[in-house]
Amino acid sequence: MATAERRDAVVIGGGIAGSSLAAALAGDGYDVLLLERQTVYRDKVRGEVINCWGVVELLRLGLERQLLDAGGTYIDRFIGFDEIVDPETARANALHLDEMLPGIRGVLDVGHPEACEALATAAAEAGATVVRGIGDVTVTGGPHPSVRYEYNDIEYEVPCRLVVGADGRTSTVRRQLGISLTQTPPNSLGGGMLVEDLHEWPANVTSIGTEKDLLYFVFPRAGAKARLYLLHDVAQKGRFAGPTRQADFLKAFQLDCIPHSEMFATASPSESCAFYPMNDAWTDGPVVPGAVLIGDAAGWTDPVVGQGLSIALRDARLVWEALRSSGAWSPQILKPYVDEREERMRRLRVSGAVRTAMNMTFTPEGAARRKAYAKAWPTDPVLAGSRLATFQGAFGVPDESFHPGTIQRLLALG
């Protein structure tokens, strides 16, 4: 075994959260080692939208340029094409995403592999040591943290001041540190597919809506590309599976509520078309002596609200600011991160539950409630809060929006 010099931080996981934190810490002059299993970031069905409040975090981390250079695109309009509204009314009621938060140009859509590559490169350019293609990892927390990892058939041991677990939903760091994870049963099943040659879709417009027994999402990207998503009830497991899944997926996207939806028939699909359970998960506390979890490793919200990348960036920024504020990297200095994350994730879970109830109640009663909500929320900031939190952030809307009584009032509409 080779023993390396002591580092300030060893970050395990070179995704959005881990690479962002590594870049920020290295930029401050800390000695950072970033470890990643993949030698090449592969296209999977992962989050590709940074909502407005996440863009704020990206700017505070100083990493906006890297994602724009990686093909990121600002989207400044949201149009909710839906079976309950005619297309012209939907267009007239478009949300101006460039007006959600001061100085923020909208939501930023970016390919997940491209974003990871750009952020890992930013970490290296800031001075972090980035090692990709590692094998098994063993972590030790406590007063003398350390990380063992395998690379090119050699095992290395690295003592450090802090271990950062940013290794995703199935985090081995979380398991080795003995941090428990609570998960809800699936709320729905959701799948996505990247398409090209979608020339008719406006490059600055994102859309979400319901028709019959499907909830759809369109997140455009530069170059006539878009990531398309479909969500359906868990009872329909396997609906989009097998050798015709790409064709079936695009056929289902030819929805009556979307103008000229025949455009999807001529789009070029990617090979990656997969469905996953959509649920919530959380840890009792993402900090233990000698270690901290960020991003999905620390728990996630139902992807139905598309908050994963924004959550990852907020986690990275809060941990970075806590560490740079103190010479003693103790659990105590990370308590504000723990407390803020707990409440942030609780509120976003409420937003996810509201969206699922509103957009995935595939009944006449559900449609009536959705229609009543569409009429009520624009003039009621409290009722609007759980919806607008997805753009403005969990703390950018009235606290009352997340109270049980408000949710009961909302679900009683129609």
PDB file of all heavy atoms in Angstrom, residues 184-206:
ATOM      1  N   THR A 184     -38.979   6.735   0.799  1.00  0.00           N
ATOM      2  CA  THR A 184     -40.405   6.497   0.636  1.00  0.00           C
ATOM      3  C   THR A 184     -40.618   5.483  -0.483  1.00  0.00           C
ATOM      4  O   THR A 184     -39.751   5.290  -1.333  1.00  0.00           O
ATOM      5  CB  THR A 184     -41.140   7.796   0.264  1.00  0.00           C
ATOM      6  OG1 THR A 184     -40.678   8.233  -1.031  1.00  0.00           O
ATOM      7  CG2 THR A 184     -40.877   8.889   1.287  1.00  0.00           C
ATOM      8  N   PRO A 185     -41.775   4.830  -0.505  1.00  0.00           N
ATOM      9  CA  PRO A 185     -42.104   3.998  -1.665  1.00  0.00           C
ATOM     10  C   PRO A 185     -42.196   4.880  -2.907  1.00  0.00           C
ATOM     11  O   PRO A 185     -42.363   6.103  -2.800  1.00  0.00           O
ATOM     12  CB  PRO A 185     -43.476   3.407  -1.316  1.00  0.00           C
ATOM     13  CG  PRO A 185     -43.613   3.582   0.166  1.00  0.00           C
ATOM     14  CD  PRO A 185     -42.833   4.810   0.509  1.00  0.00           C
ATOM     15  N   PRO A 186     -42.076   4.303  -4.109  1.00  0.00           N
ATOM     16  CA  PRO A 186     -42.170   5.121  -5.321  1.00  0.00           C
ATOM     17  C   PRO A 186     -43.496   5.871  -5.407  1.00  0.00           C
ATOM     18  O   PRO A 186     -44.565   5.294  -5.173  1.00  0.00           O
ATOM     19  CB  PRO A 186     -42.047   4.094  -6.446  1.00  0.00           C
ATOM     20  CG  PRO A 186     -41.351   2.920  -5.835  1.00  0.00           C
ATOM     21  CD  PRO A 186     -41.807   2.885  -4.402  1.00  0.00           C
ATOM     22  N   ASN A 187     -43.407   7.158  -5.738  1.00  0.00           N
ATOM     23  CA  ASN A 187     -44.601   7.970  -5.949  1.00  0.00           C
ATOM     24  C   ASN A 187     -45.106   7.848  -7.380  1.00  0.00           C
ATOM     25  O   ASN A 187     -46.274   8.100  -7.658  1.00  0.00           O
ATOM     26  CB  ASN A 187     -44.289   9.433  -5.632  1.00  0.00           C
ATOM     27  CG  ASN A 187     -43.755   9.622  -4.231  1.00  0.00           C
ATOM     28  OD1 ASN A 187     -44.319   9.118  -3.274  1.00  0.00           O
ATOM     29  ND2 ASN A 187     -42.633  10.323  -4.097  1.00  0.00           N
ATOM     30  N   SER A 188     -44.195   7.498  -8.303  1.00  0.00           N
ATOM     31  CA  SER A 188     -44.524   7.303  -9.714  1.00  0.00           C
ATOM     32  C   SER A 188     -43.308   6.647 -10.352  1.00  0.00           C
ATOM     33  O   SER A 188     -42.291   6.398  -9.691  1.00  0.00           O
ATOM     34  CB  SER A 188     -44.840   8.635 -10.401  1.00  0.00           C
ATOM     35  OG  SER A 188     -43.712   9.489 -10.402  1.00  0.00           O
ATOM     36  N   LEU A 189     -43.404   6.368 -11.636  1.00  0.00           N
ATOM     37  CA  LEU A 189     -42.254   5.926 -12.414  1.00  0.00           C
ATOM     38  C   LEU A 189     -41.983   6.971 -13.482  1.00  0.00           C
ATOM     39  O   LEU A 189     -42.904   7.428 -14.163  1.00  0.00           O
ATOM     40  CB  LEU A 189     -42.519   4.567 -13.069  1.00  0.00           C
ATOM     41  CG  LEU A 189     -42.705   3.385 -12.117  1.00  0.00           C
ATOM     42  CD1 LEU A 189     -43.019   2.120 -12.910  1.00  0.00           C
ATOM     43  CD2 LEU A 189     -41.463   3.167 -11.260  1.00  0.00           C
ATOM     44  N   GLY A 190     -40.726   7.356 -13.619  1.00  0.00           N
ATOM     45  CA  GLY A 190     -40.374   8.397 -14.575  1.00  0.00           C
ATOM     46  C   GLY A 190     -39.211   7.982 -15.433  1.00  0.00           C
ATOM     47  O   GLY A 190     -38.290   7.301 -14.966  1.00  0.00           O
ATOM     48  N   GLY A 191     -39.263   8.356 -16.694  1.00  0.00           N
ATOM     49  CA  GLY A 191     -38.193   8.018 -17.616  1.00  0.00           C
ATOM     50  C   GLY A 191     -37.882   9.170 -18.538  1.00  0.00           C
ATOM     51  O   GLY A 191     -38.715  10.051 -18.768  1.00  0.00           O
ATOM     52  N   GLY A 192     -36.690   9.156 -19.085  1.00  0.00           N
ATOM     53  CA  GLY A 192     -36.271  10.235 -19.971  1.00  0.00           C
ATOM     54  C   GLY A 192     -35.479   9.724 -21.151  1.00  0.00           C
ATOM     55  O   GLY A 192     -34.971   8.601 -21.144  1.00  0.00           O
ATOM     56  N   MET A 193     -35.379  10.581 -22.146  1.00  0.00           N
ATOM     57  CA  MET A 193     -34.610  10.255 -23.339  1.00  0.00           C
ATOM     58  C   MET A 193     -34.141  11.553 -23.990  1.00  0.00           C
ATOM     59  O   MET A 193     -34.919  12.499 -24.116  1.00  0.00           O
ATOM     60  CB  MET A 193     -35.458   9.444 -24.321  1.00  0.00           C
ATOM     61  CG  MET A 193     -34.692   8.976 -25.550  1.00  0.00           C
ATOM     62  SD  MET A 193     -35.642   7.779 -26.525  1.00  0.00           S
ATOM     63  CE  MET A 193     -36.984   8.825 -27.112  1.00  0.00           C
ATOM     64  N   LEU A 194     -32.882  11.575 -24.369  1.00  0.00           N
ATOM     65  CA  LEU A 194     -32.342  12.701 -25.111  1.00  0.00           C
ATOM     66  C   LEU A 194     -32.690  12.529 -26.585  1.00  0.00           C
ATOM     67  O   LEU A 194     -32.557  11.431 -27.135  1.00  0.00           O
ATOM     68  CB  LEU A 194     -30.828  12.759 -24.954  1.00  0.00           C
ATOM     69  CG  LEU A 194     -30.098  13.879 -25.695  1.00  0.00           C
ATOM     70  CD1 LEU A 194     -30.476  15.240 -25.142  1.00  0.00           C
ATOM     71  CD2 LEU A 194     -28.584  13.672 -25.616  1.00  0.00           C
ATOM     72  N   VAL A 195     -33.177  13.620 -27.208  1.00  0.00           N
ATOM     73  CA  VAL A 195     -33.470  13.571 -28.641  1.00  0.00           C
ATOM     74  C   VAL A 195     -32.728  14.704 -29.345  1.00  0.00           C
ATOM     75  O   VAL A 195     -32.407  15.730 -28.746  1.00  0.00           O
ATOM     76  CB  VAL A 195     -34.983  13.682 -28.944  1.00  0.00           C
ATOM     77  CG1 VAL A 195     -35.742  12.522 -28.305  1.00  0.00           C
ATOM     78  CG2 VAL A 195     -35.550  15.017 -28.487  1.00  0.00           C
ATOM     79  N   GLU A 196     -32.470  14.485 -30.618  1.00  0.00           N
ATOM     80  CA  GLU A 196     -31.873  15.501 -31.486  1.00  0.00           C
ATOM     81  C   GLU A 196     -32.821  15.795 -32.644  1.00  0.00           C
ATOM     82  O   GLU A 196     -33.844  15.132 -32.804  1.00  0.00           O
ATOM     83  CB  GLU A 196     -30.518  15.020 -31.998  1.00  0.00           C
ATOM     84  CG  GLU A 196     -29.502  14.774 -30.894  1.00  0.00           C
ATOM     85  CD  GLU A 196     -28.155  14.346 -31.428  1.00  0.00           C
ATOM     86  OE1 GLU A 196     -28.003  14.222 -32.658  1.00  0.00           O
ATOM     87  OE2 GLU A 196     -27.234  14.145 -30.609  1.00  0.00           O
ATOM     88  N   ASP A 197     -32.482  16.811 -33.417  1.00  0.00           N
ATOM     89  CA  ASP A 197     -33.275  17.181 -34.597  1.00  0.00           C
ATOM     90  C   ASP A 197     -34.690  17.614 -34.226  1.00  0.00           C
ATOM     91  O   ASP A 197     -35.626  17.424 -35.009  1.00  0.00           O
ATOM     92  CB  ASP A 197     -33.338  16.032 -35.610  1.00  0.00           C
ATOM     93  CG  ASP A 197     -31.950  15.569 -36.033  1.00  0.00           C
ATOM     94  OD1 ASP A 197     -31.114  16.458 -36.331  1.00  0.00           O
ATOM     95  OD2 ASP A 197     -31.702  14.364 -36.057  1.00  0.00           O
ATOM     96  N   LEU A 198     -34.852  18.210 -33.050  1.00  0.00           N
ATOM     97  CA  LEU A 198     -36.155  18.733 -32.638  1.00  0.00           C
ATOM     98  C   LEU A 198     -36.174  20.225 -32.981  1.00  0.00           C
ATOM     99  O   LEU A 198     -36.178  21.092 -32.107  1.00  0.00           O
ATOM    100  CB  LEU A 198     -36.381  18.487 -31.146  1.00  0.00           C
ATOM    101  CG  LEU A 198     -37.803  18.700 -30.626  1.00  0.00           C
ATOM    102  CD1 LEU A 198     -38.774  17.706 -31.248  1.00  0.00           C
ATOM    103  CD2 LEU A 198     -37.843  18.589 -29.110  1.00  0.00           C
ATOM    104  N   HIS A 199     -36.190  20.531 -34.253  1.00  0.00           N
ATOM    105  CA  HIS A 199     -35.995  21.897 -34.716  1.00  0.00           C
ATOM    106  C   HIS A 199     -37.201  22.801 -34.470  1.00  0.00           C
ATOM    107  O   HIS A 199     -37.054  24.017 -34.383  1.00  0.00           O
ATOM    108  CB  HIS A 199     -35.658  21.886 -36.211  1.00  0.00           C
ATOM    109  CG  HIS A 199     -34.391  21.156 -36.528  1.00  0.00           C
ATOM    110  ND1 HIS A 199     -33.151  21.690 -36.289  1.00  0.00           N
ATOM    111  CD2 HIS A 199     -34.183  19.909 -37.053  1.00  0.00           C
ATOM    112  CE1 HIS A 199     -32.219  20.820 -36.662  1.00  0.00           C
ATOM    113  NE2 HIS A 199     -32.816  19.734 -37.129  1.00  0.00           N
ATOM    114  N   GLU A 200     -38.390  22.236 -34.370  1.00  0.00           N
ATOM    115  CA  GLU A 200     -39.592  23.071 -34.236  1.00  0.00           C
ATOM    116  C   GLU A 200     -39.848  23.536 -32.810  1.00  0.00           C
ATOM    117  O   GLU A 200     -40.645  24.457 -32.599  1.00  0.00           O
ATOM    118  CB  GLU A 200     -40.820  22.304 -34.755  1.00  0.00           C
ATOM    119  CG  GLU A 200     -40.818  22.060 -36.255  1.00  0.00           C
ATOM    120  CD  GLU A 200     -42.134  21.439 -36.715  1.00  0.00           C
ATOM    121  OE1 GLU A 200     -43.195  22.010 -36.417  1.00  0.00           O
ATOM    122  OE2 GLU A 200     -42.081  20.364 -37.344  1.00  0.00           O
ATOM    123  N   TRP A 201     -39.204  22.906 -31.835  1.00  0.00           N
ATOM    124  CA  TRP A 201     -39.451  23.318 -30.446  1.00  0.00           C
ATOM    125  C   TRP A 201     -38.658  24.591 -30.148  1.00  0.00           C
ATOM    126  O   TRP A 201     -37.447  24.644 -30.401  1.00  0.00           O
ATOM    127  CB  TRP A 201     -39.048  22.219 -29.469  1.00  0.00           C
ATOM    128  CG  TRP A 201     -39.454  22.575 -28.066  1.00  0.00           C
ATOM    129  CD1 TRP A 201     -38.721  23.266 -27.147  1.00  0.00           C
ATOM    130  CD2 TRP A 201     -40.715  22.316 -27.455  1.00  0.00           C
ATOM    131  NE1 TRP A 201     -39.443  23.455 -26.001  1.00  0.00           N
ATOM    132  CE2 TRP A 201     -40.668  22.879 -26.155  1.00  0.00           C
ATOM    133  CE3 TRP A 201     -41.877  21.660 -27.876  1.00  0.00           C
ATOM    134  CZ2 TRP A 201     -41.744  22.790 -25.273  1.00  0.00           C
ATOM    135  CZ3 TRP A 201     -42.945  21.577 -26.990  1.00  0.00           C
ATOM    136  CH2 TRP A 201     -42.876  22.131 -25.706  1.00  0.00           C
ATOM    137  N   PRO A 202     -39.295  25.629 -29.589  1.00  0.00           N
ATOM    138  CA  PRO A 202     -38.575  26.876 -29.275  1.00  0.00           C
ATOM    139  C   PRO A 202     -37.434  26.626 -28.286  1.00  0.00           C
ATOM    140  O   PRO A 202     -37.637  26.001 -27.244  1.00  0.00           O
ATOM    141  CB  PRO A 202     -39.657  27.769 -28.660  1.00  0.00           C
ATOM    142  CG  PRO A 202     -40.952  27.184 -29.124  1.00  0.00           C
ATOM    143  CD  PRO A 202     -40.726  25.713 -29.252  1.00  0.00           C
ATOM    144  N   ALA A 203     -36.269  27.135 -28.611  1.00  0.00           N
ATOM    145  CA  ALA A 203     -35.081  26.840 -27.814  1.00  0.00           C
ATOM    146  C   ALA A 203     -35.107  27.483 -26.432  1.00  0.00           C
ATOM    147  O   ALA A 203     -34.321  27.097 -25.556  1.00  0.00           O
ATOM    148  CB  ALA A 203     -33.834  27.301 -28.569  1.00  0.00           C
ATOM    149  N   ASN A 204     -35.993  28.459 -26.219  1.00  0.00           N
ATOM    150  CA  ASN A 204     -36.035  29.163 -24.927  1.00  0.00           C
ATOM    151  C   ASN A 204     -37.233  28.771 -24.082  1.00  0.00           C
ATOM    152  O   ASN A 204     -37.530  29.435 -23.082  1.00  0.00           O
ATOM    153  CB  ASN A 204     -36.069  30.672 -25.150  1.00  0.00           C
ATOM    154  CG  ASN A 204     -37.388  31.136 -25.745  1.00  0.00           C
ATOM    155  OD1 ASN A 204     -37.945  30.468 -26.625  1.00  0.00           O
ATOM    156  ND2 ASN A 204     -37.901  32.260 -25.274  1.00  0.00           N
ATOM    157  N   VAL A 205     -37.951  27.707 -24.449  1.00  0.00           N
ATOM    158  CA  VAL A 205     -39.211  27.352 -23.774  1.00  0.00           C
ATOM    159  C   VAL A 205     -39.108  25.965 -23.157  1.00  0.00           C
ATOM    160  O   VAL A 205     -38.744  24.996 -23.827  1.00  0.00           O
ATOM    161  CB  VAL A 205     -40.397  27.386 -24.759  1.00  0.00           C
ATOM    162  CG1 VAL A 205     -41.662  26.817 -24.105  1.00  0.00           C
ATOM    163  CG2 VAL A 205     -40.645  28.807 -25.233  1.00  0.00           C
ATOM    164  N   THR A 206     -39.424  25.873 -21.883  1.00  0.00           N
ATOM    165  CA  THR A 206     -39.591  24.588 -21.213  1.00  0.00           C
ATOM    166  C   THR A 206     -41.069  24.379 -20.937  1.00  0.00           C
ATOM    167  O   THR A 206     -41.844  25.347 -20.864  1.00  0.00           O
ATOM    168  CB  THR A 206     -38.769  24.530 -19.913  1.00  0.00           C
ATOM    169  OG1 THR A 206     -38.782  23.198 -19.402  1.00  0.00           O
ATOM    170  CG2 THR A 206     -39.335  25.471 -18.857  1.00  0.00           C
TER     171      THR A 206
END
